[in-house]
């Protein structure tokens, strides 16, 4: 019981870290374009992170991404020590990348840590490779989709607004940024909160044969308090901010104006809604970065700092294997005590 409660608390702590690690994704453009102050922006983003809970619960009616994450490892190989090691490994990598200001993927960190611990415990037969390969494919597909959508929305908006007074257009886009930021924050809540829900659900399923009382038969039996806690934790984390990553996302990739902020956030939100429909956990970091690149490319290709983009891509590709190694190493340590 102590181990199960520790996993739940640690997973919620990871969700909180995810919130402040990924706060930049939702607020970068409205902060860099000075539509809202940093404090106002994080409150705005956190509120709509939590609104996503009610959308998942009462409009969508399911938590499909949570179900996908819980199936990273075959159920018969899931144990509480494996989940504990996976979450600890993910927390370590998340804190390291946050400290360095690298906008890595919290979702892929969690999945990598979980899979790495399971492999160390039971070998490669423990993981569902088809699920992991699908998730890994969207490391490249999510930013690419966001970039393509952003490019075409940019071209469309520029054509529609070609005769509009520049100053008037700037004012309109500043107001529209509030809407686009809210949409992206909802997408962030829908996607990222469910990843931790999947891990907690896997722990509860693993606890069921141990007759701990909190155990459930499957992810579909997940109690409401799990979803509520996860959405609340990520919202609280968002309110704590993540200013180093704001700088990387808002100034180092390309210079962002209110127009570009609206297009990037709208494109990112559409991508997240699409992946929510497909039940594929993706990185909101990758998505918004790709969208910002797509907007920058409409001005000219040189407007995007491709050197920074290359560094981000390397970090993205390393996230799953590095967090898997961390999860495996932590499992070795955990197995000495449990």
């Amino acid at each position: 019981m102590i181990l199960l409660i520790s996993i739940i608390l640690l997973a919620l702590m990871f969700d909180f870290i995810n919130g402040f690690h990924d706060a930049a994704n939702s607020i970068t453009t409205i902060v860099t374009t000075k539509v809202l102050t940093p404090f106002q922006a994080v409150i705005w983003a956190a509120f709509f992170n939590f609104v996503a809970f009610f959308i998942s619960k009462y409009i969508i009616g399911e938590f499909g991404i949570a179900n996908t994450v819980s199936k990273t490892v075959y159920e018969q190989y899931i144990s509480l020590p494996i989940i504990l090691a996976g979450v600890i490994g993910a927390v370590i990598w998340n804190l390291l990348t946050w400290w360095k200001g690298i906008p890595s993927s919290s979702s892929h960190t969690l999945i990598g840590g979980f899979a790495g611990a399971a492999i160390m415990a039971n070998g490669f037969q423990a993981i569902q490779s088809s699920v992991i390969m699908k998730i890994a494919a969207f490391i490249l597909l999510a930013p690419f989709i966001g970039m393509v959508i952003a490019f075409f929305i940019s071209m469309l908006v520029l054509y529609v607004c070609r005769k509009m007074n520049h100053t008037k257009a700037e004012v309109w886009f500043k107001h529209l940024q509030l809407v686009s930021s809210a949409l992206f924050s909802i997408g962030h809540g829908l996607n990222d909160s469910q990843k931790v829900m999947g891990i907690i659900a896997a722990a509860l399923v693993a606890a069921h044969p141990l007759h701990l009382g909190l155990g459930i038969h499957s992810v579909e039996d997940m109690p409401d308090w799990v979803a509520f806690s996860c959405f609340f934790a990520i919202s609280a984390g968002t309110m704590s901010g993540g200013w180093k990553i704001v700088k990387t996302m808002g100034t180092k990739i390309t210079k962002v104006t209110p127009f570009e902020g609206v297009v990037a956030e709208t494109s990112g939100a559409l991508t997240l809604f699409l992946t929510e429909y497909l039940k594929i956990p993706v990185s909101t970091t990758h998505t918004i970065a790709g969208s910002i690149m797509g907007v920058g490319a409409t001005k000219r290709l040189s407007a995007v700092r491709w050197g920074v983009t290359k560094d981000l891509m390397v970090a993205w590709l390393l996230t799953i294997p590095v967090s898997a190694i961390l999860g495996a190493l932590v499992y070795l340590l955990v197995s000495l005590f449990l």
Side-chain angles (χ1 to χ4, degrees):
M1 179 61 78
I2 292 172
L3 184 56
L4 176 61
I5 292 172
S6 299
I7 289 170
I8 293 170
L9 292 176
L10 197 60
L12 291 175
M13 185 182 82
F14 177 87
D15 211 16
F16 178 86
I17 294 170
N18 188 358
F20 76 69
H21 190 282
D22 287 2
N25 301 338
S26 302
I27 69 174
T28 291
T29 59
I30 52 176
V31 171
T32 54
T33 56
K34 298 180 180 179
V35 173
L36 294 177
T37 65
F39 178 75
Q40 291 170 332
V42 291
I43 296 296
W44 182 261
F47 173 76
F48 286 101
N49 276 171
F50 195 66
V51 166
F53 165 74
F54 299 98
I55 293 173
S56 284
K57 177 69 178 173
Y58 299 108
I59 297 177
I60 299 175
E62 63 175 353
F63 299 104
I65 289 176
N67 196 29
T68 301
V69 172
S70 70
K71 290 177 179 176
T72 303
V73 176
Y74 284 107
E75 189 174 317
Q76 64 267 32
Y77 292 111
I78 296 175
S79 69
L80 295 181
I82 286 173
I83 298 170
L84 178 66
V87 175
I88 291 174
V91 168
I92 292 170
W93 181 246
N94 234 20
L95 288 174
L96 282 172
T97 53
W98 166 76
W99 181 52
K100 292 291 186 180
I102 301 170
S104 67
S105 166
S106 298
S107 10
H108 296 129
T109 303
L110 191 61
I111 290 160
F114 186 28
I119 291 169
M120 179 58 72
N122 301 293
F124 282 93
Q125 74 270 16
I127 61 172
Q128 296 209 47
S129 55
S130 60
V131 173
I132 294 178
M133 290 303 294
K134 182 168 64 174
I135 293 169
F138 271 79
I139 291 177
L140 297 176
L141 283 175
F144 178 74
I145 292 169
M147 185 164 58
V148 170
I149 293 174
F151 182 83
F152 283 106
I153 290 180
S154 294
M155 299 302 291
L156 177 63
V157 174
L158 285 171
Y159 178 78
V160 171
C161 300
R162 66 190 185 281
K163 295 181 180 178
M164 186 178 288
N165 177 272
H166 178 75
T167 305
K168 185 178 180 181
E170 190 88 351
V171 173
W172 271 100
F173 283 119
K174 281 191 173 185
H175 286 100
L176 285 171
Q177 267 197 278
L178 295 174
V179 178
S180 60
S181 176
L183 288 173
F184 190 83
S185 295
I186 289 171
H188 178 216
L190 286 173
N191 207 284
D192 282 33
S193 296
Q194 291 193 48
K195 294 156 190 169
V196 174
M197 287 167 56
I199 293 295
I200 294 177
L204 294 175
V205 170
H208 183 73
L210 303 177
H211 307 292
L212 294 179
L214 289 175
I216 58 176
H217 290 283
S218 68
V219 176
E220 286 73 24
D221 301 329
M222 187 165 48
D224 287 344
W225 65 263
V226 174
F228 185 87
S229 300
C230 289
F231 279 93
F232 179 80
I234 202 169
S235 301
T238 298
M239 284 196 289
S240 66
W243 312 121
K244 286 185 178 181
I245 298 174
V246 168
K247 186 178 179 181
T248 300
M249 301 292 282
T251 61
K252 290 186 179 179
I253 295 177
T254 188
K255 185 180 178 182
V256 178
T257 65
F259 156 71
E260 289 153 353
V262 169
V263 174
E265 287 164 345
T266 303
S267 305
L270 290 173
T271 306
L272 291 176
F273 296 156
L274 173 64
T275 54
E276 163 69 19
Y277 174 76
L278 296 174
K279 302 178 183 179
I280 299 173
V282 298
S283 168
T284 53
T285 307
H286 299 181
T287 304
I288 193 65
S291 299
I292 291 172
M293 291 174 210
V295 172
T298 59
K299 293 182 285 187
R300 60 187 186 282
L301 290 178
S302 61
V304 178
R305 297 184 178 95
W306 297 107
V308 175
T309 303
K310 183 186 71 175
D311 294 340
L312 293 179
M313 293 288 284
V314 171
W316 297 347
L317 293 172
L318 286 175
T319 294
I320 288 183
V322 171
S323 54
I325 291 169
L326 286 172
L329 292 175
V330 173
Y331 179 78
L332 279 178
L333 294 175
V334 168
S335 63
L336 293 176
F337 298 99
L338 298 174

